[in-house]
Amino acid sequence: MRYILALAISMFAFAVAAQDWEDRQVFNQGASNSPLRIISSTDTDLFAPILQSFVARNPSISIEYLVTGTADIDRRFRANPEAFDIAISSAMDLQLKLANDGFARSLQEVSHPAWAQWRQSLFAFTSEPAAIVINKAAFAGHPIPKSRQDLIEALRARPDVFRDRVGTYDVRQSGLGYLFATQDARASETFWRLMEVMGSLNVRLYCCSGDMIDDLTDGTIAVAYNVLGSYAAARVESQSALEIVLPSDFPTTMMRTAFVSEETTKPEVAETFIQHLVAQQSNTNGEKQLLPSLDVPGNGRERATIALEPALMTFLDRLKRTKFLAEWEDALIQE
Amino acid sequence: MTDRPNVSGSLRNRLALTLIGGAALLAILLFFAVRNYAVQVAQQGQDNILVASVTSMLDAAAIRDGTVEVDIPYAAFSMLTTSADDRVFYSVFQDGNLLSGYGDLSLANDTFGGNKTFQTNKVRGATVRQISASRTLIGANKRTEIQIALAQTQDALSETLDQISRNAALLGIGFFALTAALSFWATSSTMGQLNKLTTSVTRRGPQDLSPFKKPVPREMAPLVNSLNSLMGRLDHSLGQSEDFIAEAAHRVRTPLATVRSYAEATLQRVDKEENREAMRSMVRAIDESSRAAGQLLDHAMITFRADHLEREEIDLVELVRDLVLRLTPIAEMKDLTLAVYGDEQVRYAGDPILIQSAVRNLVDNAMKYGPADSEIDISVTANPRPEIKVCDNGPGFPTQEIDTLATRFKRGKNAEDTIGSGLGLTIVQDVATAHGGSIKLTNQREGGACVTFSL
């Protein structure tokens, strides 16, 4: 009952917020032309250096940067593909499906390795592993878990400490959370056991990494599962309190992707931007970057990075998604 | 002397064109055969993967608690990964109602009872290969049909086909180049046999009419046969002509000489003036006939010999002196003097018989027109060209006919009372032409005609 209520409230809030943006900024406002509209799931402060260096090089171009959740990007973009020039999201599956469905424009001038692009229209520009982020205070005197199995044991060992104090994505709302969950589920049964343990501890569900890290920093929760390590690392004030653990059993690494809308009115500018973006992110020895760069999947790590392939669409199938969400709810939400 | 043959087309070109055209045709056929086969193989490959994928999807369909679940395996789409990142579309139907997937992808008409149907379709502006397949699910108390349409774009396929087409084209071009080179070689080696025959015909001496003995390819044997038989006949008829000329000269001249000597002898015995006059006319007539016969034979001989000119080194002065020696008795009969001037020696490579007959005709003419007690001047000079010039003190050539006189059977207007057949100058002209020379007719200022015979 409580779950239904929570869902109803969250859906309502979601619907209201849909008209609005999490953040909205215009870079290089002085330029007279209509701005390049970028819809993105990446927080503005993480992405700002790339935008600033782009407008510095192209002073005649202004950029309107719109931030919203990954699932919302998919919804808004499908509804109004002509309203945006570029879509950037961490939900690889949703992005790939948009490209597959013909929303992405093929860019012939962008040179990018085959594993990091799809159909020369969807371009990956970061490698970001999903992490277990821990508030060190909760583990004082106890070993820091290094894998999912360790985490399960740690949670089981001290249920009183962790009750109401574990968090993860609400995969029903977050596209990235759903991607991580489905890839974890593919990789190992450990995922489901972890979900069951977390469910028994009355897990808190979050829409976004930012909120989760906020709660983690102030001690509301002690453990967050499947958070983007990059977000945690970017919070300077949180760094002393938090420990970012990349699970040693099987890391799940996501690549942030960008594509140009098929219906863009500024194909040349948008293509230039994508070129700038991949060049900045591939060039690791430049100035300090806030966003992780794109790493070549090395030996033994192939399984780790989620591949850009049509198989990503599997879990987006309506029947498959319904089934997965049912299992997920069964495991995680216990009345 | 030789007519240009009537040339129509070229055997070499025709042969080369046929061979190269054939090679081009074969190369094109090869290209299309290879490409066609590659299309089939590549399409078969894509179809097989689509079958595997759709089968794994259908296998994942099940009825649980009365509802249909289709738990699409990750591998179903994973196996559709291609190097060209082909797009994938699918739709899942239950008894014709869309359960999941792309609403704009419709099933093939006959998708029921386990049928698998392939189509090439257009979906969202892309050409796709589509498979429609179905599976019957049997639950506790119901029976339902799950149908799946799965489509994939053909970018990787067309990339592969482009590559195969390029290779097939290269193969075709290589095959064509090789065959073209071979046909050039074959053509020239075939033509080489003809050229060899041509060379050996051209190189033959003028008198050589013997049959060809060298081996020739079987196809050329009929040609060589008819060539041999033609030469045989030619040899035979040439021999006949030569025999005839010799025979005719003998048969005509000898009886005439006999008749003449009889007439001369009779003239000595006849006293009556009118009879003597008749006998003299007879002798003149015999002379005329004898001369005409001689000239005709000369001319026939010249025509024959000029076609097969046999040059040998001779001294023109010696030749002229010989002739003068022989003609002196006749000249004395007419009270004429023959005088030879010019160089001591004039060497020239020519046919002595022809030149002799030409000079004899010139001197003959001069003696005919020269008045009694006059001198006939014959000068032989070597520079600038070997030249024999014969001049008399007669009436000279009629100026208006000087250019046409050398034509056969034509005589000067003022020659009506002189014996002659009109062949004399023609013979001289023919001999000069055969030796690459010419004759020139002039009149002397103080009277008399001159003929310059230059070689």
Side-chain angles (χ1 to χ4, degrees):
Chain A
M1 188 63 213
R2 194 179 58 185
Y3 147 64
I4 296 169
L5 194 68
L7 188 69
I9 290 168
S10 70
M11 287 304 281
F12 178 68
F14 192 63
V16 170
Q19 299 306 311
D20 231 336
W21 302 94
E22 281 177 26
D23 192 10
R24 176 181 181 158
Q25 281 189 34
V26 179
F27 290 78
N28 196 19
Q29 194 135 29
S32 52
N33 300 344
S34 68
L36 187 71
R37 281 169 69 86
I38 300 177
I39 184 168
S40 170
S41 67
T42 308
D43 289 349
T44 313
D45 42 342
L46 284 178
F47 211 71
I50 290 168
L51 297 171
Q52 275 152 0
S53 65
F54 181 73
V55 294
R57 260 184 227 177
N58 304 277
S60 63
I61 298 167
S62 62
I63 295 174
E64 184 176 10
Y65 190 71
L66 306 153
V67 181
T68 187
T70 47
D72 196 38
I73 289 176
D74 187 60
R75 203 173 46 73
R76 287 194 197 224
F77 199 89
R78 282 179 189 276
N80 278 319
E82 73 285 348
F84 307 101
D85 298 310
I86 291 173
I88 294 171
S89 170
S90 47
M92 294 167 73
D93 48 355
L94 294 173
Q95 293 278 90
L96 186 110
K97 192 156 195 304
L98 281 169
N100 187 66
D101 293 0
F103 288 102
R105 188 182 184 87
S106 174
L107 308 177
Q108 297 310 318
E109 299 299 312
V110 180
S111 68
H112 214 38
W115 57 267
Q117 54 92 4
W118 197 71
R119 287 188 70 76
Q120 201 61 33
S121 53
L122 184 63
F123 300 93
F125 62 94
T126 64
S127 299
E128 299 175 61
I132 301 168
V133 184
I134 281 165
N135 189 321
K136 287 180 195 164
F139 283 85
H142 295 275
I144 302 274
K146 293 293 174 203
S147 66
R148 289 175 183 78
Q149 192 58 43
D150 287 356
L151 182 61
I152 289 169
E153 280 158 19
L155 294 179
R156 275 185 182 155
R158 297 185 291 155
D160 301 335
V161 177
F162 294 112
R163 186 167 310 280
D164 294 328
R165 291 189 67 204
V166 289
T168 190
Y169 277 115
D170 185 347
V171 301
R172 295 164 298 188
Q173 285 186 42
S174 164
L176 177 61
Y178 185 72
L179 175 66
F180 278 153
T182 52
Q183 293 294 327
D184 281 358
R186 272 186 66 218
S188 167
E189 274 298 308
T190 319
F191 170 74
W192 290 117
R193 281 196 281 136
L194 179 61
M195 286 300 110
E196 277 160 17
V197 171
M198 288 171 84
S200 70
L201 294 172
N202 202 12
V203 66
R204 286 169 186 263
L205 298 177
Y206 293 86
C207 76
C208 330
S209 278
D211 295 355
M212 224 180 322
I213 292 163
D214 285 345
D215 279 3
L216 201 56
T217 312
D218 65 20
T220 313
I221 56 172
V223 176
Y225 177 66
N226 269 356
V227 191
L228 282 181
S230 52
Y231 277 48
R235 299 282 185 91
V236 182
E237 75 275 20
S238 314
Q239 272 171 5
S240 54
L242 304 182
E243 168 110 18
I244 299 166
V245 179
L246 301 180
S248 59
D249 45 358
F250 60 93
T252 307
T253 303
M254 163 280 281
M255 295 189 287
R256 225 173 269 269
T257 56
F259 69 85
V260 174
S261 170
E262 180 66 43
E263 295 181 40
T264 177
T265 51
K266 309 178 193 58
E268 291 87 12
V269 176
E271 183 156 7
T272 314
F273 181 81
I274 298 287
Q275 282 172 326
H276 175 76
L277 177 60
V278 298
Q280 287 272 305
Q281 289 297 114
S282 306
N283 183 10
T284 49
N285 51 3
E287 65 263 47
K288 187 189 179 314
Q289 291 162 308
L290 292 174
L291 277 174
S293 60
L294 186 65
D295 295 330
V296 179
N299 292 338
R301 287 195 60 203
E302 283 88 352
R303 268 189 51 74
T305 303
I306 302 166
L308 279 172
E309 56 175 18
L312 283 176
M313 300 198 302
T314 311
F315 281 98
L316 297 179
D317 176 66
R318 200 181 60 79
L319 298 173
K320 186 100 177 169
R321 182 176 162 90
T322 310
K323 186 166 180 285
F324 183 83
L325 288 182
E327 283 175 28
W328 182 83
E329 283 170 356
D330 279 352
L332 212 59
I333 298 168
Q334 294 170 1
E335 299 296 323
Chain B
M1 201 167 76
T2 44
D3 288 336
R4 286 198 71 75
N6 183 5
V7 174
S8 138
S10 152
L11 212 56
R12 176 197 295 268
N13 289 356
R14 204 177 302 170
L15 194 60
L17 264 178
T18 313
L19 287 171
I20 290 171
L25 202 68
L26 280 177
I28 290 166
L29 277 177
L30 182 76
F31 170 76
F32 280 108
V34 169
R35 197 178 179 283
N36 204 30
Y37 183 63
V39 168
Q40 280 180 20
V41 170
Q43 190 59 73
Q44 189 66 52
Q46 188 184 29
D47 288 356
N48 287 344
I49 294 173
L50 284 172
V51 168
S53 177
V54 84
T55 306
S56 72
M57 286 165 79
L58 283 171
D59 276 351
I63 298 180
R64 265 196 203 107
D65 306 330
T67 51
V68 169
E69 278 184 3
V70 183
D71 188 7
I72 300 175
Y74 207 73
F77 291 155
S78 196
M79 72 175 79
L80 294 175
T81 303
T82 63
S83 59
D85 296 333
D86 275 302
R87 294 161 73 182
V88 174
F89 305 103
Y90 73 98
S91 55
V92 182
F93 297 86
Q94 180 184 5
D95 298 322
N97 302 314
L98 183 71
L99 277 188
S100 168
Y102 290 77
D104 44 4
L105 190 71
S106 50
L107 288 166
N109 291 329
D110 55 345
T111 312
F112 52 82
N115 270 352
K116 287 189 175 64
T117 314
F118 285 104
Q119 289 166 294
T120 302
N121 257 350
K122 276 245 175 208
V123 175
R124 297 184 181 217
T127 307
V128 295
R129 184 70 173 172
Q130 182 186 331
I131 182 172
S132 305
S134 71
R135 181 186 169 203
T136 309
L137 290 183
I138 299 164
N141 48 9
K142 70 170 175 180
R143 195 184 165 87
T144 186
E145 188 91 1
I146 297 296
Q147 298 142 316
I148 295 181
L150 179 66
Q152 188 182 27
T153 53
Q154 301 197 290
D155 298 350
L157 188 79
S158 53
E159 266 177 28
T160 312
L161 286 185
D162 284 352
Q163 205 176 342
I164 291 173
S165 294
R166 268 198 299 278
N167 289 345
L170 282 179
L171 187 72
I173 290 168
F175 174 78
F176 174 73
L178 200 69
T179 324
L182 273 176
S183 30
F184 274 119
W185 177 77
T187 310
S188 45
S189 84
T190 309
M191 289 303 131
Q193 294 294 334
L194 271 179
N195 289 343
K196 250 197 247 170
L197 183 64
T198 311
T199 316
S200 77
V201 172
T202 316
R203 275 206 192 137
R204 292 201 151 204
Q207 300 298 316
D208 187 0
L209 291 173
S210 60
F212 289 96
K213 290 280 169 23
K214 278 190 191 155
V216 289
R218 192 184 308 127
E219 291 75 10
M220 278 162 62
L223 174 65
V224 173
N225 264 342
S226 39
L227 209 56
N228 282 346
S229 104
L230 177 69
M231 285 198 299
R233 283 185 314 232
L234 191 63
D235 194 25
H236 183 68
S237 75
L238 278 177
Q240 273 185 336
S241 319
E242 227 166 339
D243 291 350
F244 173 77
I245 289 166
E247 191 72 18
H250 182 66
R251 297 258 172 132
V252 174
R253 274 175 168 164
T254 316
L256 279 178
T258 316
V259 172
R260 194 183 189 276
S261 63
Y262 279 126
E264 289 271 354
T266 311
L267 183 62
Q268 302 298 323
R269 291 200 299 270
V270 172
D271 296 327
K272 222 171 161 185
E273 190 49 39
E274 55 195 81
N275 288 349
R276 285 180 70 89
E277 191 52 41
M279 285 314 291
R280 269 195 213 98
S281 300
M282 197 171 141
V283 170
R284 265 208 305 279
I286 289 165
D287 280 349
E288 193 177 345
S289 299
S290 165
R291 205 177 114 83
Q295 278 190 332
L296 269 173
L297 291 174
D298 270 1
H299 191 259
M301 185 186 65
I302 286 158
T303 313
F304 168 67
R305 291 189 78 97
D307 284 343
H308 309 275
L309 197 64
E310 273 182 279
R311 289 172 186 271
E312 62 185 70
E313 196 71 15
I314 46 170
D315 179 7
L316 291 180
V317 180
E318 198 189 316
L319 183 139
V320 169
R321 286 191 193 286
D322 264 7
L323 198 66
V324 166
L325 210 62
R326 272 193 276 145
L327 290 174
T328 303
I330 306 171
E332 278 170 353
M333 268 173 59
K334 294 191 168 181
D335 297 325
L336 288 167
T337 322
L338 300 177
V340 180
Y341 305 94
D343 298 337
E344 282 297 303
Q345 203 182 38
V346 179
R347 312 291 304 175
Y348 178 70
D351 188 332
I353 297 173
L354 291 186
I355 294 172
Q356 211 169 43
S357 116
V359 177
R360 192 179 55 236
N361 272 289
L362 281 177
V363 178
D364 225 22
N365 262 349
M367 290 195 302
K368 216 160 36 172
Y369 294 101
D373 287 328
S374 68
E375 191 182 90
I376 291 170
D377 300 331
I378 307 168
S379 72
V380 185
T381 48
N383 290 315
R385 298 167 66 189
E387 204 171 78
I388 301 168
K389 189 174 180 182
V390 180
C391 294
D392 62 38
N393 293 311
F397 297 110
T399 35
Q400 66 271 37
E401 291 179 22
I402 213 159
D403 296 327
T404 50
L405 270 179
T407 352
R408 194 182 305 202
F409 298 118
K410 184 131 191 164
R411 297 176 68 192
K413 263 204 172 143
N414 53 354
E416 271 135 29
D417 53 344
T418 321
I419 303 167
S421 62
L423 268 174
L425 282 177
T426 314
I427 290 167
V428 180
Q429 171 94 56
D430 284 353
V431 173
T433 311
H435 286 84
S438 61
I439 64 168
K440 204 168 94 191
L441 310 183
T442 44
N443 284 328
Q444 294 186 87
R445 206 174 302 152
E446 60 273 24
C450 272
V451 181
T452 314
F453 171 70
S454 45
L455 295 164

